[in-house]
Amino acid sequence: MDKLTEAVRGAKTGNEESFRELYDLTNKTALAVIRRYCDVSADYEDILQETYIKVYRSIKDLEKEDKAQAWINKIAANTAIRHN
């Protein structure tokens, strides 16, 4: 099992350290997605934070743990689009 899948499984159980690991493994890519959809660099961090709040609240709904990065990227894109 890779680190991301392991972090997702731990985060699903409410393990805060696992969620931090999930964040550490995925935030750079999520931020790159946000940059594609938002032109205001001052908003990037706010959108990223909002993205991970949504991820935290709905992590238990993620069925395919091996698709976590794509799932987070979709949340990031939608959050950035709605922010504009």
Side-chain angles (χ1 to χ4, degrees):
M1 176 181 347
D2 69 355
K3 285 184 177 185
L4 181 55
T5 302
E6 190 175 318
V8 169
R9 288 186 180 167
K12 282 183 162 186
T13 68
N15 183 299
E16 290 181 27
E17 188 171 320
S18 292
F19 190 80
R20 273 188 239 113
E21 179 75 7
L22 171 69
Y23 175 83
D24 289 343
L25 292 169
T26 61
N27 76 78
K28 289 180 180 139
T29 304
L31 185 57
V33 170
I34 290 166
R35 287 180 175 151
R36 278 188 240 144
Y37 291 95
C38 180
D39 295 330
V40 182
S41 61
D43 293 341
Y44 294 166
E45 291 298 321
D46 290 339
I47 296 169
L48 187 65
Q49 180 178 4
E50 189 176 338
T51 295
Y52 280 93
I53 290 170
K54 291 176 182 179
V55 169
Y56 183 82
R57 289 180 179 159
S58 58
I59 190 73
K60 291 179 182 176
D61 297 332
L62 177 60
E63 294 177 13
K64 296 182 179 180
E65 295 163 351
D66 62 327
K67 303 293 183 190
Q69 184 71 66
W71 179 72
I72 292 168
N73 292 350
K74 183 74 170 176
I75 294 171
N78 288 336
T79 303
I81 289 166
R82 286 187 190 109
H83 187 80
N84 286 333

